[in-house]
Amino acid sequence: MTTFTDENSALGSLGNTNNPLIADVIIPFSVGVMLATITYLICRDTGAHSICIPSGLVAGTVVMSLCFMSEKERQMLLESDEAFVSQQDPTLVKAGGTLWLKLQCLFLVSAVPAFLGLVFFGDPVFQLYLEVKGAYSL
């Protein structure tokens, strides 16, 4: 007969809201698309491509490094709080250089195509930006 150490382990942790997919994939992709859009709009508005594009890449690297550090801190807290091996999440990835590199690559994989797509097809987005900017400047 199978025994469980807590009541949620038999049910598959129904109340668990920690979704590793959000931290692993969705956050880098959303940050990449947002920063690419902001960088494109600022570049198009000011014409300062040589400053804005590297600034957007540096900002993305910093944000992904902060995500890496928060994941590292979360894993350090989990390791010290949980006494039983059965209570630890088996899907946790140890925070190391590969996780940092994975976050950076996911950011770049989403930011570069988003930026290039906006360069070729971004006129409606830029027109909307100009309308919003004009409405707030009055």
Side-chain angles (χ1 to χ4, degrees):
M1 174 168 223
T2 307
T3 58
F4 300 101
T5 56
D6 63 350
E7 69 274 358
N8 288 331
S9 63
L11 301 174
S13 295
L14 294 175
N16 189 5
T17 59
N18 264 351
N19 190 354
L21 179 68
I22 291 174
D24 288 349
V25 176
I26 295 174
I27 290 175
F29 272 94
S30 61
V31 168
V33 170
M34 278 192 331
L35 280 176
T37 304
I38 291 168
T39 303
Y40 166 77
L41 292 174
I42 292 172
C43 284
R44 182 101 186 254
D45 193 25
T46 62
H49 298 299
S50 62
I51 295 172
C52 294
I53 293 173
S55 299
L57 290 174
V58 167
T61 302
V62 168
V63 170
M64 289 301 102
S65 295
L66 290 175
C67 287
F68 167 73
M69 292 305 292
S70 69
E71 180 66 21
K72 188 175 176 181
E73 291 292 325
R74 184 179 74 85
Q75 288 181 8
M76 286 172 58
L77 287 174
L78 286 177
E79 286 176 0
S80 64
D81 283 349
E82 296 182 5
F84 300 109
V85 173
S86 62
Q87 290 177 344
Q88 294 178 355
D89 187 6
T91 62
L92 283 179
V93 178
K94 294 292 181 189
T98 57
L99 178 63
W100 182 82
L101 188 62
K102 176 185 167 188
L103 290 173
Q104 298 298 337
C105 289
L106 285 173
F107 163 72
L108 288 174
V109 160
S110 62
V112 170
F115 186 79
L116 291 176
L118 285 170
V119 166
F120 292 113
F121 307 109
D123 285 332
V125 175
F126 186 65
Q127 293 301 322
L128 180 65
Y129 165 76
L130 290 177
E131 289 175 12
V132 170
K133 184 179 173 184
Y136 282 115
S137 66
L138 295 177

